[in-house]
């Protein structure tokens, strides 16, 4: 295949390189796995995110971990996330410094929702 079509495919929306590193996508099925990868791409804007530990919570909730790169191009380590497929809600569990200095009140509410949903649905 010529190089130009490959480059065009890489530039298409949704042509992301997120992967489920550990095969845990089998636990939630291919359709929900694709939905989770699309949510990661949309919310984290990270083309090289590595998703692991996918599992079902209650109802339409999916839990897992995601590892993204920092500005220096290094992976920062896996961090938990929760997605409610019924509400199209996705949140990565915030770290302490994020909770202490949110830029806007709505950012704090979203982080708190993520934290509470993750602790209720994903930790057992």
């Amino acid at each position: 295949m010529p190089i130009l079509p490959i480059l065009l495919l890489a530039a298409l929306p949704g042509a992301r390189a997120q992967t489920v590193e550990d095969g845990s996508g089998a636990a939630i099925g291919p359709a929900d796995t694709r939905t989770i990868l699309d949510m990661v791409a949309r919310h984290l804007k990270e083309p090289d995110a590595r998703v692991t530990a996918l599992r079902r919570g209650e109802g339409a909730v999916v839990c897992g971990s995601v590892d993204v790169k920092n500005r220096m191009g290094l992976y920062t380590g896996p961090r938990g996330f929760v997605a409610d497929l019924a509400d199209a809600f996705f949140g990565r569990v915030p770290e302490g410094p994020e909770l202490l200095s949110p830029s806007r009140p709505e950012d704090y509410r979203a982080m708190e929702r993520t934290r509470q949903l993750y602790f209720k649905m994903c930790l057992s």
Side-chain angles (χ1 to χ4, degrees), residues 1-2 21 23 39 80 122:
M1 179 179 259
E21 295 286 312
M39 289 174 124
C122 301

Side-chain angles (χ1 to χ4, degrees), residues 1-76:
M1 179 179 259
I3 293 176
L4 186 56
I6 292 172
L7 293 174
L8 290 174
L9 283 174
L12 291 173
R16 301 282 189 161
Q18 292 91 1
T19 60
V20 178
E21 295 286 312
D22 61 356
S24 61
I28 66 169
D32 286 345
T33 298
R34 180 76 258 154
T35 300
I36 293 298
L37 293 176
D38 289 345
M39 289 174 124
V40 167
R42 192 169 47 256
H43 292 278
L44 300 180
K45 296 172 180 65
E46 174 58 53
D48 297 324
R50 296 189 294 195
V51 176
T52 58
L54 291 175
R55 62 205 178 278
R56 293 233 179 254
E58 294 179 27
V61 171
V62 174
C63 307
S65 293
V66 64
D67 195 0
V68 296
K69 290 182 178 180
N70 62 17
R71 289 181 214 156
M72 306 216 17
L74 303 172
Y75 283 99
T76 60

